[in-house]
Amino acid sequence: MNIEEITALLDGRDGILIVTPGPGDGSPELSWGDTFFYYAPDGVVPTTGQPFATIVTKNYPGDEESRLDRPKTFRVNIAAGKDAFLNWTGHEPREPATGDTDPSTADTVIAHPVYGTLGWLAVVNPGPRTETAVRDLLTTAYGLARSRHERRAETTPS
């Protein structure tokens, strides 16, 4: 899978807002070229909450373990929830990891090197081994984000 395929997978879904920061849009330069996926049916980046998935194309300070500074390397990050995290890692998000895979290994579902304790999963350069998993995890993350949004909308006074 490449970045365009991942983006296309989510692009047609109801309520998806895809943000790819770049020069002149007021975003920090470090985020330029990365992609952020929100459930935002009003088309506005939510002021509370985080994206449910991201694609990063470079190392961030404190997040260098995936070695995204290699040519043609990116990482898809997915907030697929506690159940999916447990299924893929064998442990709860807040439990210490034992024997987790090297975060720079391509085409392998791993606990996110920084946000794993929050239940995020990640895949560097998804390929044949993880394509189905990435599709399923993104679908799950989208559903969770949509449900959170709907719950918040029900409890917010008009």
Side-chain angles (χ1 to χ4, degrees), residues 1-74:
M1 296 183 87
N2 61 37
I3 293 171
E4 294 76 21
E5 289 171 322
I6 294 167
T7 302
L9 174 69
L10 293 170
D11 193 24
R13 296 189 187 205
D14 179 51
I16 293 283
L17 175 63
I18 300 173
V19 177
T20 304
D25 66 7
S27 61
E29 186 174 348
L30 182 60
S31 68
W32 294 356
D34 293 340
T35 305
F36 302 84
F37 301 92
Y38 297 90
Y39 182 77
D42 60 0
V44 177
V45 174
T47 56
T48 59
Q50 298 292 321
F52 67 86
T54 65
I55 298 172
V56 294
T57 59
K58 67 193 83 58
N59 291 330
Y60 278 70
D63 184 8
E64 297 91 6
E65 291 183 62
S66 293
R67 298 182 36 234
L68 301 178
D69 53 350
R70 296 174 287 170
K72 299 182 181 180
T73 303
F74 70 94

Side-chain angles (χ1 to χ4, degrees), residues 90-155:
H91 62 86
E92 299 281 336
R94 297 200 184 267
E95 290 176 0
T98 55
D100 277 343
T101 304
D102 173 357
S104 67
T105 303
D107 200 18
T108 303
V109 178
I110 61 167
H112 187 286
V114 175
Y115 299 112
T117 57
L118 300 175
W120 281 68
L121 295 167
V123 180
V124 173
N125 289 2
R129 289 190 329 208
T130 58
E131 181 174 357
T132 298
V134 167
R135 289 176 183 280
D136 292 347
L137 291 167
L138 287 169
T139 297
T140 298
Y142 166 76
L144 291 170
R146 184 176 180 151
S147 293
R148 270 191 306 277
H149 176 82
E150 290 169 355
R151 281 193 310 274
R152 286 181 183 143
E154 290 172 3
T155 60

